[in-house]
């Protein structure tokens, strides 16, 4: 079966001044200070974009991020102004900080891989001895990463390096840390209401023309965060079993089992239509679990046309 997905865009909006293509999102600059961010159905893992799109993935990410921004705007200001289409977010143009603020409540994923290799320091932060994978840290740790240019891997970096290299000023960085901890605390509470554990996540911030620091991009989505199911967590830890996850880790594991980790010379395994269907179903399950709402599929008969019509109507009415 063929899937209707949107994997690339080429819009010409009135007043358009530029376009940037990220791994998953295409961002259009319009007029002086507006950004139109389109969440595509592209899937990236190990910093590689998969050849086929995942049905409804863009809609799911965009709608989770929108909901989470609304649920946290009392704590931390964000860039968002409107979502005129299921795949689109429109907001204030910002100058992004060149670091991603990664925060981890548990020893999982990249941190667990580093820990297994014998390291006890991650981004200048020490990790306690005697932990096993997926154990909870005594306190959440912030492990920033530099934002990579297209096609390159994000790199771990310490707070000290960020400040000494002048990537972010000390004053701004303390705000980023404060916002990161507040958002993670709220995200943890929201997850708990849904029977989930927010394991780790990343936040991106930017500065508006007036110099205000705001949250940008996605927040608490399965692409930027890892969730465990709360039910059975303790029992699985006690038995040394893998945790039941809500994140795109299942895609990474599938790639690893098919001999791919984004390393040189490795070939991307073929994703069958059946497999893509299961990934789409998993994303819908993620959406419903994370938001507690039923997922309503948007009309995908002509996604590009739908997006264009909705964005134009919004820009004209603005």
């Amino acid at each position: 079966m063929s899937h209707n997905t949107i994997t690339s865009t080429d819009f010409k909006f009135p007043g358009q001044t530029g376009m940037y293509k990220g791994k998953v999102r295409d961002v259009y600059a319009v007029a002086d200070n507006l950004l139109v961010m389109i969440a595509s159905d592209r899937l990236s893992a190990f910093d590689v974009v998969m050849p086929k799109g995942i049905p409804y993935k863009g809609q799911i990410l965009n709608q989770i991020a929108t909901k989470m921004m609304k649920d946290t705007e009392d704590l931390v200001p964000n860039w968002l102004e409107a979502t005129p289409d299921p795949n689109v977010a429109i907001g204030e143009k910002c100058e992004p900080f060149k670091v991603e603020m990664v925060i981890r409540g548990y020893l999982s994923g990249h941190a667990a891989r580093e820990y297994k290799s014998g390291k006890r320091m991650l981004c200048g932060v020490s990790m306690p001895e005697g932990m096993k994978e997926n154990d909870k840290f005594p306190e959440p740790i912030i492990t920033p990463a530099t934002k990579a240019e297209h096609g390159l891997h994000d790199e771990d970096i310490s707070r000290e390096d960020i400040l000494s290299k002048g990537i972010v000023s000390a004053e701004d960085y303390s705000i980023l840390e404060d916002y990161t901890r507040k958002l993670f605390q709220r995200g943890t509470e929201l997850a708990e209401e849904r029977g989930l554990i927010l394991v780790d996540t990343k936040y991106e911030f930017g500065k508006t023309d007036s110099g205000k620091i705001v949250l940008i991009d996605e927040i608490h989505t399965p692409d930027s965060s890892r969730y465990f199911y709360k039910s059975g967590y303790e029992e699985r830890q006690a038995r040394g079993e893998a945790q039941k996850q809500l994140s795109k880790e299942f895609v990474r594991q599938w790639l690893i089992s098919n001999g791919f980790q984004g390393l040189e010379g490795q070939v991307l395994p073929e994703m069958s239509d059946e497999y893509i269907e299961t990934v789409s179903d998993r994303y819908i399950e993620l959406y419903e679990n994370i938001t507690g709402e039923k997922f309503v599929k948007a009309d995908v008969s002509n996604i590009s046309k739908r997006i264009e019509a909705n964005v134009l109507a919004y820009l004209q009415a603005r």
Side-chain angles (χ1 to χ4, degrees):
M1 64 178 286
S2 75
H3 299 111
N4 279 358
T5 58
I6 185 160
T7 54
S8 69
T9 68
D10 184 22
F11 295 115
K12 298 284 181 283
F13 297 120
Q16 187 169 311
T17 56
M19 186 256 198
Y20 163 78
K21 187 175 171 172
K23 284 178 207 147
V24 172
R25 287 170 177 72
D26 294 348
V27 184
Y28 291 82
V30 177
D32 300 338
N33 64 343
L34 263 200
L35 288 183
V36 177
M37 193 190 274
I38 296 164
S40 75
D41 295 323
R42 296 193 293 270
L43 174 65
S44 103
F46 299 116
D47 291 326
V48 177
V49 176
M50 304 295 126
K52 291 179 182 173
I54 304 300
Y56 303 106
K57 176 176 177 282
Q59 178 190 348
I60 287 165
L61 294 190
N62 189 52
Q63 291 185 333
I64 292 175
T66 302
K67 182 177 165 49
M68 291 292 178
M69 286 210 170
K70 293 218 166 33
D71 288 347
T72 56
E73 65 189 0
D74 58 316
L75 287 177
V76 174
N78 62 59
W79 77 292
L80 190 65
E81 186 181 288
T83 48
D85 179 274
N87 286 60
V88 178
I90 294 181
E92 192 175 358
K93 187 179 180 188
C94 304
E95 185 57 47
F97 286 98
K98 293 195 162 47
V99 291
E100 292 184 344
M101 298 299 285
V102 180
I103 180 163
R104 305 171 183 279
Y106 294 74
L107 181 67
S108 295
H110 172 63
R113 289 190 281 273
E114 294 286 282
Y115 196 90
K116 262 188 194 140
S117 77
K119 291 185 187 157
R120 292 295 176 268
M121 290 287 279
L122 187 60
C123 304
V125 182
S126 67
M127 300 184 282
E129 282 295 341
M131 290 184 75
K132 31 183 233 291
E133 188 169 356
N134 300 330
D135 275 355
K136 187 176 184 175
F137 284 118
E139 285 291 313
I141 62 171
I142 292 178
T143 59
T146 54
K147 283 181 64 62
E149 293 302 311
H150 200 58
L152 298 171
H153 289 276
D154 296 342
E155 300 276 342
D156 288 346
I157 189 167
S158 68
R159 177 192 191 173
E160 292 65 36
D161 280 352
I162 290 169
L163 298 181
S164 67
K165 291 178 179 172
I167 299 170
V168 181
S169 74
E171 189 186 347
D172 285 352
Y173 194 76
S174 72
I175 296 172
L176 298 189
E177 283 198 324
D178 179 52
Y179 281 175
T180 296
R181 292 195 187 282
K182 282 179 174 154
L183 289 167
F184 190 67
Q185 180 57 36
R186 175 67 56 83
T188 299
E189 290 159 11
L190 291 167
E192 199 158 338
E193 287 168 19
R194 307 255 62 86
L196 301 172
I197 293 170
L198 179 57
V199 178
D200 53 43
T201 191
K202 70 179 169 76
Y203 303 114
E204 296 189 40
F205 298 94
K207 213 176 229 192
T208 64
D209 285 348
S210 63
K212 185 162 120 179
I213 294 176
V214 296
L215 175 67
I216 60 173
D217 205 24
E218 60 185 335
I219 155 178
H220 299 158
T221 71
D223 273 26
S224 65
S225 320
R226 195 187 312 267
Y227 290 92
F228 291 155
Y229 287 92
K230 199 159 172 264
S231 167
Y233 165 80
E234 299 286 358
E235 292 76 2
R236 286 188 197 96
Q237 279 307 91
R239 292 196 295 261
E241 291 173 8
Q243 286 298 333
K244 198 172 169 216
Q245 295 211 16
L246 261 186
S247 72
K248 68 172 181 184
E249 184 66 25
F250 69 92
V251 177
R252 291 191 201 100
Q253 293 302 336
W254 182 83
L255 289 167
I256 290 170
S257 67
N258 283 278
F260 185 82
Q261 265 179 287
L263 303 175
E264 207 141 323
Q266 294 183 337
V267 182
L268 258 178
E270 172 69 27
M271 284 191 173
S272 68
D273 282 351
E274 291 72 31
Y275 181 69
I276 283 174
E277 195 70 22
T278 65
V279 176
S280 181
D281 289 345
R282 281 293 286 275
Y283 268 95
I284 291 170
E285 181 197 341
L286 292 171
Y287 175 90
E288 294 184 342
N289 276 292
I290 292 167
T291 64
E293 293 165 10
K294 187 99 184 79
F295 180 66
V296 180
K297 292 178 176 180
D299 173 11
V300 291
S301 52
N302 189 330
I303 307 173
S304 279
K305 206 168 154 188
R306 186 199 79 205
I307 288 174
E308 188 170 38
N310 284 334
V311 172
L312 288 174
Y314 177 79
L315 293 175
Q316 278 154 9
R318 200 171 170 267

